[in-house]
Amino acid sequence: SAELLELLVANKILDMNLKLRVVQQVLWKKYVEENATSASSLGVAGAGPSHQMISTGSGLSMIFSSSGLMAARNRAGASGSSGAGDNDNAILASFPPMVVTYRLAGVDGEATEDKVEDEDLDDPEAPSIANSGPAALERRMEKEFGITRMITADGGVAVLLASVRCTVGDLLRRMRRDEVARRRRGPGVAGAGGAEDGNAVREHFAKSPPCPGLALLRHCANLADNRRELLSHRAPTLLLRILLDILNAVNRSASSRRRGRGKRSNTFDLSSGSMAMDVDEQPNAGNNESSQHNVEGNPTTEALQEIIEMLASDISAEVSGQSNTSSTKAKSSLEKSGSFINLSQVGDAAKQQGGGREDDEDRTLPLVLKSLHSAELSPPLRKVIAKLLPFLTYGQVSQSKELAGCFLKYVNVHLLGQTEGGGGILMNTFVDTAVDLPPVSVCDNLRRELIANGFVDGVRSFLMEGAPSRPPSWSPALYSKLTTEKRKSSGGDEVKELEEEWRTYFGRSGLGQAFRILTGLCAKHDATQLLLSDISNQHGEAEEEASSAIESQELNLLTLCHWMESTSDNTASGIKNPDGILAETLLDALKDDNELVTAKINAIRKKTRDRKRELAEERRNKALVGMSAFGTLAGSAVVGGQGGGVSAPAQQVNAAADDASSSAAENRSVFASMFSSLLAPSSSQPQPRTTRASSAIQSQSTTGGQPKAQPSWMAEMEAMADEAGATCAICQEGRTLQPSELLGLYAYIKKVAIPGQAGGKANVDGTVMLLSLPTRFPANLTTSTGEGVEMLFRRARSAANALEGSPHALSAAASSSSASSISGGGSSRTNTYVTMVSAGNAIHISCHKRAKAADRNHPKAPKSEWEGASLRNSRVTCNVIMPLVSSKTSKVPLMAVETALAEYNATVANTLGARPKSILWNCLHDVRLLLMRMAHGEALGADCGGGSSSSNFLLVLYQLYSADMFTRSAEHDEGTEVSGHARGLSAGFLVGVDIVDDHEFDRLDARSKRLERGVADAAPMAAMLSILFYNSDDNELGGAGTKTHDISGSSTIEDATKNAPSPTRQWELHKSKFLVGLIRCAGRRHALGATDSGCVTSRGIAAGRKNVEKARSYADWSCVGDDEATAKHKTSTSLASSRRPATMIEEYSAALRPMITLYTVFDELSREFVVNDDDESTEGASERLAARLEACYKADGVRELLRIADIGLGQDAICKYFEKGATS
C-alpha cells in the first residue's frame, strides 16, 4: 500500500527511504531560504517589515517572522564552528513547520515533479568523510548544474552579462522616470497601479524575483569552471557596478522623500571620472529603518551579492595559489589564462582600443567609495568590497593614485586603536584593504603610490613613536657583554625607568593593527621592503648600512621589531608583550623574496643568537663548577674575568691523563676519566694544574696501573650498565634499567574510509579467496607444481573449513554475491580502518601518567594530555600510546599490561566509532595500510607533522611482535577460526596462485572469478603473514632465526645458504609466486582507479583536489616515460617488435611502482624480521629497511626499480600478469 502514495515536500517527490529529519534539515531549509519573500511587499494586511511569506506549492501559503531566523543566524555566526549542530537546530526552530503533501500516485497522470533519491541528500549529522569533502560537494554541484556549461561555452558568459546589464539598466531607467512623475504629482498622490509611494516600478521591483538572466547566472556560478569564465570576463566589476546602481537608485529615491527639498544631499560627480566627493555628512540612522525594506530582502540585490561573494572567494583562492606558485612556467601559464588578478595591462589595452569600457571602470571605483559611506550596505558586502577594492584600479596609475589618496585622507593612524573596536566606515574598509592587500602585480601601482604619498612612512612613524631607545631590561640576550657589565654597575632606578617606558609602549592602542598594515603592504614588494628596512638599492651601500646598524644598535624599525620578537612577558613586573608575534611576522614578510633585507635581518638575529649561546655557556660553566665537591672539574672551562682560564697546555695534559687512565682500566667509564686528575695526590706546595696532572700520570706509570682507592658512589656509577634500545622520553631509561616498567610508543591514529572496490575487508584479508578454493585438491597441480602444494592445500582447507559458518564468512559471502552484479567485482560499501604513524619516541606508561597529571595541574600553563605529550614527542602530534608488548615484557606486571592494552583498544574503538571485531586483524590491517602508504611514497607526517621512514618501520616491527602475541591469545579468546585464518592465509594464497596460473583454469566460472580476484586482493596481506608466521628455520618457532650482517649492512640468516633456502622459510621458497600476486594486485587496483593507499589526508585542501603529499626523495616519473618513448621512436623500425614490452611496462609503470616497492620491502623484511628481537637489533633493522625504501624512492624509472628489487621475471611476463589482474 505504501507504493500507492507519493510524499511531496517543496514540490519534490520524496523517496520512501529518506529520513524525515534529513528532509527538514536539507530540503525544506533550502526551499524556505530561496523562496521566502517579504509579506509586506505583497500587500498582506497586518504584515510588518519582518514578516516573510512562503508558498508550499499545494495552494497553501504561510506567514512567519524572520526576526527569530536572523537572530539564530547571528548566533550561529558568532559561535563559529563549535556547536554547529546546536546552531543548525536553533536556525531550524525559527523556520515554519514543514508541510508534507500525501497524494495517490498516478491518479492525474504521470508526475511532473522531480524525485529526490536517498543519495541526493546528505545527512548533516552523519560522520561521513566521503560525503562531506570538497570533492563530494563539487560532484553534487556538477550533477545539479552541469548543464549550465552549454550556456557559458563559446562566449555565452559575455552575452549573459550583457543581458543582465541591459535588463537591470532598463528597469532603473523606468524607476527613475516614475520617480520624476511622482514628484510632479506631489506627495500623497497614489501612482499608477495603486502604488503606496507613488512609484509602481519600485514596488514591483521590491517583490519580484530576479530577472531570468540573473537567475541563470546564479546557477552557472555554482560550478568552478563557470566561475573562472566569469572572472576572466571581469564579472565582479560589472556585477558590483549593477548592484551599486540599484542600491543608489532605491536609496536615493527613498531618501529624497524623507529629506525634502531644503536639505543638502551627498554630492558625487561621475561625469568627470574623478573621486571628488563630499562624504563628511553621516546618514541619519533614524531614516535607515524606513528604507531598509527596500534593499534588504530584495531578491535581485541578494542574488547579485551572492554571486559577487562567490567570485570574491575564488579571487582570494587564486591570489593564494599565485603567491604559493614558485615555478616560472606555472606563473607564465597563469598570466596567459585570462585570470582576474592579472590586470596590469588592462588600462593600456582599453586606451589603445578607445572603447567605452575604460569609462565604466573609471566610474566603478568612485561609486564604490561613495557606497561605502552609505549605511544601507550590509557588513558582509562591505567586506567583499574591501577585498575587491584594489582590483578595481586595474593596475592603472591614475586610479591607483586616487585610491592611495583616499588611504591618506580617511585612515588616521592615531585612531587605529579605535578602528579595532569599530571605527569609521571608510577607515575600517581601507584598513582591511591594506591588511589583506594581495601580493599580485595589479596591486603594485597602488603600493608605489602609497609610498609616494607618505602613507607607509606615516604608519612606520606611528610604530616608532614613543619606542624606548634601549632593549627591554629583562631580555639579557639583546645586550652585549660590555653593556651588561655597565648595567650591573648602575643602580636599579635606571632599570625601573626602562621598564616603565616599555610598559607604556606595549600599552599603546593600535600597535597590532599598524603591524598588520605594514605586513600586508610589504608582501613581496621590493620597494616597500627596502623602504621599511632603510636600505638603498645598491648592494654595497646596503651591506654597509646593515653592519653600521648592528654595531651602533640604532633604533630603526627592524631593530624595534627584533627587540619585540625576542622579548617575552615580564610576569614579575606585570608587563605583557601582546604584539611580539606580529613583529616577527612583519620581519618574515620583509625577508620574503628580498636578499638585501634578508641579509640585514639575519645579521641582526644572528648577533642575538650568538649572545644567547654565550649566556648559555656561562650558565653551564657556573653549574659545572658548583657540581664539583673537590673544586673545578677537569676539562671544564672557567668563566673569564677574575677567575682566569685554563691554558692550552693544561688541556693537553688533562687529555693525556684521561687517555692514560682509560688505557690502565679497560672498564673505566667516562666519569672515572673525568675525575682522575682530581683524585691524584697533591704536593705540599701549590703547583699549576699541569704539574698535578703530569704527576698523576707518573704515579700511575710507576705503580704499574694498580687501581687507587675511590669513593663508593664512583664505583657504583662505573658498574652501572649502559641503556641500549628504546628509552623513555622522560626518565631516559629502558628495559635494561627498568625491566618492570612497560614501554610504549607515542603514535598518531586516525580513521580512514576506503571504498569496497579498493579495500573490502573480506577481499584484502583473504576470506573470499579461502572460501573460493576447491573442496578437493586438483589432480593436475601435483604434476605441475610438486608434492609440497598438497600440504599447503590441506592447511588452507583447514583454515577455510574453520571460517565457514562464522559471521565474518557470512558477511563476506553476502558482499561477494552482491558485488557480482557490479562492474569490477567490488562492493560499493565503504570500509573503515585505523592507521597509525609514529616518530619513534618511547615512553613509560607510568611516566606518561605522572606527566599528564603534572601538565594538568600546572599553576601557570596547564596543558591537556596530548598537548604535553606532543612536546615530549619531538613536537609531533600524537593521540595514542601503543604498548610494546612481547616476550621482553615478561617482568612487567600482568595488570599493567592488561591496563595499557585496554586503554589502547579503547582509543581504537573511539576512533573507529565501534569496537573492532578482532584485535588481531585490526593490528594486521594497520600494518598493511602503513606499508601501503610507504609503498606509494606518501608523506607520513602530513597528518601529525613528523615521523620518518625509519621510525615508522620501527612501528611496523613492534606491531608485528604484538600481532604474534595476539595470534597466540586469539586461539583462547577469539576462537580458533581467527588464528587459523591468519596462519593459513599464505598457504591458501600460494595454492590459489597455482590454480589461477594453470593452463586448465576456467576464468568464466563465477567461483573461479572470485578466486582470481581474491588472489589479487589478498596478495599484500598474504606476503606479510608469510613473513610473520613462516620465516624461521624451525617451523614450530615464529619469526626468523639468527641473523648476521656483512660489511655492506645487508642481513643474512646464518643457517640459510644462498643456493638452498630453508624449507620452512616460506617467502624464500615462494617469493616468485608472491611477486606474481603483487603484480596482479597492481593491475586490479589500476583497473579500479586506486591511485593511492586510501589514507591520504584531507587537511588544508582546496575544492576538488586531494592532498597526496609525497616524500621528499620520491622521484617523479611523470616525464620519464615520454622521454624514453621519444628516444625509442627515433630508432629503426626493425626494433618495433622488441620495443613493445618495454613500451608496455613504461605505460604500466605508475601502477606497478607501489607493488614493486612493496615487494622490495617484503624481501628485506624477510631477512630482518625476528619475532621478539631485542630493541637494539630492532632499531638497526628499521634503519636498513628505511635505506632500502629510500633506494626504491630514488629510482628514476621502472627498469632501475626492477634492478633494485632484484626481479628476474621478464618484462613481457610482468605485463601479462598485470593485465590478468586488471581484467579479473
Side-chain angles (χ1 to χ4, degrees):
S1 59
E3 297 177 355
L4 300 177
L5 290 177
E6 287 181 344
L7 276 66
L8 283 82
V9 172
N11 297 327
K12 304 285 185 181
I13 302 176
L14 301 182
D15 187 85
M16 292 299 179
N17 297 323
L18 284 170
K19 297 180 180 179
L20 195 61
R21 172 183 55 81
V22 178
V23 174
Q24 183 186 17
Q25 291 178 345
V26 180
L27 185 62
W28 179 249
K29 178 183 176 183
K30 180 180 178 181
Y31 179 77
V32 172
E33 289 178 343
E34 292 182 353
N35 296 276
T37 57
S38 176
S40 60
S41 63
L42 296 177
V44 179
S50 62
H51 288 84
Q52 301 283 329
M53 188 173 74
I54 184 173
S55 174
T56 62
S58 302
L60 178 66
S61 299
M62 291 186 295
I63 300 177
F64 64 98
S65 176
S66 62
S67 58
L69 176 61
M70 298 302 297
R73 286 177 176 173
N74 294 333
R75 288 196 303 269
S79 61
S81 61
S82 60
D86 298 336
N87 293 330
D88 291 340
N89 294 332
I91 293 175
L92 281 174
S94 303
F95 274 68
M98 183 174 66
V99 178
V100 183
T101 303
Y102 293 82
R103 73 180 183 190
L104 292 175
V107 174
D108 295 331
E110 190 69 22
T112 58
E113 297 86 355
D114 295 333
K115 186 174 182 179
V116 180
E117 302 291 344
D118 190 9
E119 62 271 8
D120 293 338
L121 301 181
D122 292 332
D123 190 353
E125 299 181 6
S128 175
I129 300 176
N131 294 331
S132 60
L137 177 62
E138 191 68 24
R139 287 195 299 269
R140 290 197 300 271
M141 292 294 103
E142 181 68 31
K143 180 180 179 180
E144 187 173 357
F145 302 103
I147 197 173
T148 58
R149 297 182 190 275
M150 301 172 60
I151 301 172
T152 59
D154 298 330
V157 172
V159 176
L160 195 57
L161 291 174
S163 173
V164 174
R165 184 178 185 179
C166 294
T167 303
V168 176
D170 180 67
L171 180 66
L172 295 180
R173 282 192 297 271
R174 290 190 285 117
M175 187 184 301
R176 296 188 186 99
R177 181 197 63 195
D178 285 6
E179 182 65 22
V180 173
R182 187 196 64 81
R183 291 178 182 176
R184 291 176 178 175
R185 289 192 301 269
V189 180
E196 294 180 0
D197 62 350
N199 195 326
V201 177
R202 183 169 54 246
E203 288 293 326
H204 179 73
F205 174 74
K207 60 185 179 182
S208 298
C211 63
L214 184 58
L216 183 57
L217 187 64
R218 181 166 58 178
H219 291 322
C220 294
N222 286 295
L223 294 184
D225 293 340
N226 293 342
R227 292 197 297 272
R228 281 192 287 269
E229 288 290 332
L230 290 172
L231 290 177
S232 65
H233 285 78
R234 292 179 299 201
T237 303
L238 178 61
L239 296 178
L240 184 60
R241 179 84 167 86
I242 296 173
L243 176 60
L244 296 178
D245 284 340
I246 295 175
L247 296 177
N248 284 326
V250 174
N251 293 332
R252 187 182 299 114
S253 300
S255 61
S256 64
R257 299 193 305 273
R258 298 189 307 267
R259 187 166 51 239
R261 298 183 182 273
K263 294 185 180 181
R264 180 180 63 87
S265 63
N266 294 339
T267 60
F268 187 74
D269 185 12
L270 293 177
S271 61
S272 62
S274 65
M275 283 181 283
M277 54 186 172
D278 181 11
V279 290
D280 296 330
E281 178 185 354
Q282 292 288 347
N284 191 350
N287 294 335
N288 290 337
E289 185 177 358
S290 61
S291 65
Q292 188 73 11
H293 70 278
N294 292 325
V295 179
E296 183 179 322
N298 190 314
T300 301
T301 57
E302 289 181 353
L304 285 170
Q305 182 173 343
E306 179 183 355
I307 299 173
I308 292 172
E309 289 178 357
M310 295 171 64
L311 297 178
S313 300
D314 279 12
I315 292 174
S316 300
E318 191 175 356
V319 168
S320 177
Q322 189 196 39
S323 60
N324 294 331
T325 302
S326 58
S327 63
T328 307
K329 182 179 179 181
K331 287 186 177 180
S332 62
S333 63
L334 186 62
E335 293 175 356
K336 297 177 182 178
S337 63
S339 171
F340 185 78
I341 65 174
N342 183 35
L343 304 173
S344 300
Q345 297 83 13
V346 171
D348 298 335
K351 291 180 181 179
Q352 293 175 2
Q353 294 175 2
R357 193 170 188 175
E358 180 188 2
D359 297 336
D360 293 338
E361 293 164 359
D362 291 344
R363 296 178 60 193
T364 301
L365 185 58
L367 185 58
V368 169
L369 297 176
K370 166 70 176 179
S371 301
L372 283 175
H373 190 265
S374 174
E376 281 79 7
L377 291 182
S378 61
L381 184 56
R382 296 183 194 276
K383 291 288 185 182
V384 172
I385 293 177
K387 189 183 299 182
L388 291 175
L389 198 57
F391 295 101
L392 298 180
T393 63
Y394 287 90
Q396 299 178 16
V397 177
S398 59
Q399 295 280 353
S400 300
K401 188 174 182 179
E402 294 288 343
L403 181 59
C406 293
F407 273 87
L408 195 61
K409 179 178 180 180
Y410 295 108
V411 178
N412 187 352
V413 293
H414 297 285
L415 299 180
L416 286 177
Q418 300 180 11
T419 303
E420 293 175 353
I425 297 172
L426 285 174
M427 182 172 174
N428 284 340
T429 304
F430 286 119
V431 168
D432 292 340
T433 302
V435 170
D436 300 327
L437 192 61
V440 292
S441 58
V442 71
C443 303
D444 287 346
N445 284 333
L446 177 59
R447 285 188 168 93
R448 282 191 286 268
E449 295 300 332
L450 290 174
I451 295 175
N453 66 6
F455 178 77
V456 178
D457 282 329
V459 180
R460 178 174 60 174
S461 300
F462 173 76
L463 282 177
M464 301 299 297
E465 181 181 349
S469 58
R470 292 172 296 173
S473 57
W474 61 93
S475 298
L478 298 175
Y479 288 90
S480 63
K481 190 172 184 179
L482 181 61
T483 309
T484 304
E485 294 176 357
K486 291 181 180 179
R487 288 176 59 244
K488 290 181 180 179
S489 61
S490 62
D493 296 337
E494 184 179 355
V495 175
K496 292 182 180 180
E497 181 181 354
L498 183 59
E499 288 182 355
E500 288 301 322
E501 292 180 4
W502 279 105
R503 187 197 307 275
T504 304
Y505 182 76
F506 286 150
R508 289 182 58 194
S509 60
L511 287 181
Q513 199 67 283
F515 277 117
R516 295 186 184 95
I517 290 175
L518 291 183
T519 302
L521 293 179
C522 72
K524 294 186 178 180
H525 190 249
D526 291 342
T528 309
Q529 292 169 342
L530 295 175
L531 175 66
L532 295 178
S533 304
D534 296 325
I535 297 178
S536 59
N537 291 327
Q538 287 76 16
H539 290 262
E541 296 179 5
E543 294 176 358
E544 293 177 2
E545 292 174 1
S547 60
S548 62
I550 294 170
E551 293 297 331
S552 62
Q553 283 293 325
E554 61 180 9
L555 186 59
N556 52 30
L557 182 61
L558 297 186
T559 305
L560 177 63
C561 292
H562 177 63
W563 287 353
M564 295 181 67
E565 72 169 350
S566 304
T567 301
S568 59
D569 296 342
N570 188 355
T571 55
S573 301
I575 302 176
K576 294 184 178 181
N577 179 16
D579 302 320
I581 297 179
L582 296 177
E584 182 181 0
T585 304
L586 176 57
L587 290 180
D588 293 338
L590 290 171
K591 290 173 54 180
D592 196 6
D593 290 343
N594 195 315
E595 296 181 358
L596 297 178
V597 182
T598 300
K600 186 172 182 179
I601 295 177
N602 288 343
I604 296 175
R605 288 176 170 175
K606 182 178 183 299
K607 184 177 181 181
T608 304
R609 286 197 303 269
D610 294 342
R611 180 58 183 152
K612 287 182 179 179
R613 196 175 292 109
E614 291 178 5
L615 293 174
E617 186 67 22
E618 290 176 3
R619 295 190 188 100
R620 172 183 171 276
N621 292 333
K622 289 180 181 179
L624 288 176
V625 171
M627 287 172 57
S628 174
F630 306 98
T632 305
L633 289 177
S636 65
V638 182
V639 179
Q642 300 176 357
V646 181
S647 61
Q651 295 178 1
Q652 295 176 1
V653 175
N654 290 337
D658 292 342
D659 294 338
S661 61
S662 60
S663 61
E666 236 177 55
N667 297 326
R668 185 77 57 92
S669 66
V670 177
F671 293 94
S673 62
M674 186 173 66
F675 286 97
S676 60
S677 61
L678 300 177
L679 298 176
S682 60
S683 59
S684 59
Q685 297 180 357
Q687 296 179 352
R689 288 174 56 88
T690 56
T691 307
R692 291 210 308 267
S694 58
S695 62
I697 298 174
Q698 292 176 2
S699 62
Q700 288 186 3
S701 61
T702 54
T703 55
Q706 295 295 327
K708 300 180 181 299
Q710 57 184 7
S712 58
W713 60 267
M714 184 175 291
E716 182 179 356
M717 189 177 296
E718 291 180 358
M720 187 179 298
D722 294 334
E723 188 65 74
T727 57
C728 176
I730 295 179
C731 65
Q732 301 300 320
E733 294 178 344
R735 289 171 174 167
T736 302
L737 300 179
Q738 293 286 348
S740 60
E741 293 290 340
L742 180 62
L743 276 171
L745 274 183
Y746 276 135
Y748 179 82
I749 188 172
K750 72 171 184 177
K751 175 182 176 181
V752 293
I754 301 177
Q757 291 90 341
K761 288 187 177 180
N763 294 319
V764 298
D765 66 8
T767 302
V768 173
M769 181 195 66
L770 289 175
L771 296 178
S772 301
L773 289 174
T775 56
R776 295 182 180 181
F777 180 70
N780 57 337
L781 292 185
T782 305
T783 58
S784 60
T785 59
E787 298 180 357
V789 181
E790 188 172 358
M791 182 180 63
L792 295 175
F793 179 79
R794 288 196 298 268
R795 185 185 301 166
R797 278 311 311 172
S798 176
N801 293 335
L803 272 177
E804 290 180 354
S806 64
H808 184 57
L810 295 177
S811 63
S815 62
S816 62
S817 61
S818 63
S820 60
S821 60
I822 301 177
S823 177
S827 174
S828 60
R829 180 181 179 182
T830 301
N831 298 273
T832 56
Y833 304 90
V834 292
T835 176
M836 282 195 304
V837 292
S838 174
N841 294 315
I843 185 93
H844 283 130
I845 304 297
S846 57
C847 291
H848 173 77
K849 292 181 179 179
R850 288 192 293 268
K852 179 179 69 173
D855 289 338
R856 183 177 60 250
N857 300 324
H858 196 281
K860 294 183 179 180
K863 294 185 288 291
S864 64
E865 175 184 3
W866 299 113
E867 184 181 1
S870 65
L871 298 178
R872 296 185 290 274
N873 193 30
S874 304
R875 297 186 180 274
V876 177
T877 305
C878 54
N879 55 10
V880 70
I881 298 179
M882 193 201 79
L884 303 184
V885 181
S886 64
S887 62
K888 300 292 182 181
T889 60
S890 57
K891 295 183 180 180
V892 180
L894 183 61
M895 184 60 66
V897 176
E898 292 290 341
T899 303
L901 287 175
E903 292 177 354
Y904 169 75
N905 292 329
T907 303
V908 173
N910 292 334
T911 305
L912 278 174
R915 183 179 178 182
K917 297 180 180 179
S918 172
I919 300 176
L920 169 62
W921 280 103
N922 179 76
C923 179
L924 293 176
H925 283 301
D926 192 356
V927 178
R928 179 185 63 85
L929 287 175
L930 182 53
L931 292 175
M932 291 289 288
R933 297 176 71 177
M934 289 190 283
H936 280 273
E938 298 170 5
L940 302 177
D943 293 299
C944 58
S948 61
S949 299
S950 59
S951 63
N952 284 282
F953 272 122
L954 187 68
L955 175 65
V956 166
L957 293 172
Y958 280 124
Q959 282 188 302
L960 289 178
Y961 299 162
S962 301
D964 178 73
M965 187 199 69
F966 293 155
T967 305
R968 300 176 189 273
S969 61
E971 298 175 356
H972 309 283
D973 300 337
E974 300 184 27
T976 56
E977 70 274 4
V978 176
S979 60
H981 178 193
R983 293 184 180 275
L985 178 60
S986 60
F989 171 79
L990 295 175
V991 174
V993 170
D994 288 335
I995 292 176
V996 299
D997 283 345
D998 190 71
H999 63 279
E1000 298 181 2
F1001 178 69
D1002 183 13
R1003 300 186 66 188
L1004 301 179
D1005 183 59
R1007 187 185 185 95
S1008 301
K1009 279 185 172 293
R1010 290 197 302 270
L1011 177 61
E1012 189 175 9
R1013 293 168 184 165
V1015 167
D1017 290 333
M1021 183 67 77
M1024 185 179 71
L1025 293 180
S1026 172
I1027 297 173
L1028 176 61
F1029 297 118
Y1030 306 106
N1031 198 47
S1032 65
D1033 296 330
D1034 186 0
N1035 198 19
E1036 298 299 327
L1037 300 175
T1042 307
K1043 59 182 179 182
T1044 59
H1045 298 278
D1046 55 17
I1047 299 176
S1048 62
S1050 61
S1051 59
T1052 56
I1053 305 298
E1054 288 184 354
D1055 296 336
T1057 62
K1058 292 183 179 180
N1059 298 327
S1062 173
T1064 56
R1065 291 175 55 80
Q1066 195 176 82
W1067 173 269
E1068 292 295 333
L1069 286 174
H1070 305 288
K1071 65 166 62 176
S1072 60
K1073 296 181 181 179
F1074 286 110
L1075 173 62
V1076 168
L1078 291 173
I1079 294 174
R1080 284 177 174 268
C1081 181
R1084 177 158 170 76
R1085 289 175 61 84
H1086 175 69
L1088 295 175
T1091 58
D1092 51 57
S1093 64
C1095 306
V1096 294
T1097 181
S1098 59
R1099 293 186 178 182
I1101 59 177
R1105 294 201 307 269
K1106 270 190 174 183
N1107 190 11
V1108 188
E1109 184 181 351
K1110 294 296 184 181
R1112 293 182 179 178
S1113 57
Y1114 195 77
D1116 186 11
W1117 287 6
S1118 58
C1119 300
V1120 173
D1122 297 338
D1123 296 339
E1124 292 182 359
T1126 303
K1128 287 181 175 295
H1129 183 69
K1130 296 180 180 179
T1131 58
S1132 60
T1133 57
S1134 60
L1135 298 178
S1137 59
S1138 62
R1139 189 172 65 244
R1140 182 183 178 276
T1143 305
M1144 291 292 292
I1145 202 169
E1146 288 166 4
E1147 182 181 351
Y1148 301 149
S1149 60
L1152 284 170
R1153 184 177 188 180
M1155 289 303 156
I1156 296 177
T1157 303
L1158 187 61
Y1159 169 82
T1160 309
V1161 170
F1162 281 143
D1163 195 30
E1164 183 68 22
L1165 185 63
S1166 68
R1167 294 191 289 267
E1168 298 289 348
F1169 179 70
V1170 175
V1171 171
N1172 299 329
D1173 203 357
D1174 58 273
D1175 293 338
E1176 192 172 3
S1177 300
T1178 302
E1179 290 182 357
S1182 66
E1183 294 290 341
R1184 289 184 289 273
L1185 284 166
R1188 189 75 166 168
L1189 181 65
E1190 289 295 321
C1192 294
Y1193 282 171
K1194 295 177 182 179
D1196 57 4
V1198 65
R1199 294 186 185 83
E1200 184 177 354
L1201 182 59
L1202 292 175
R1203 181 186 59 79
I1204 293 174
D1206 195 16
I1207 294 177
L1209 191 63
Q1211 297 178 6
D1212 199 1
I1214 292 176
C1215 295
K1216 181 188 69 173
Y1217 287 121
F1218 181 87
E1219 292 171 351
K1220 285 186 177 181
T1223 57
S1224 60

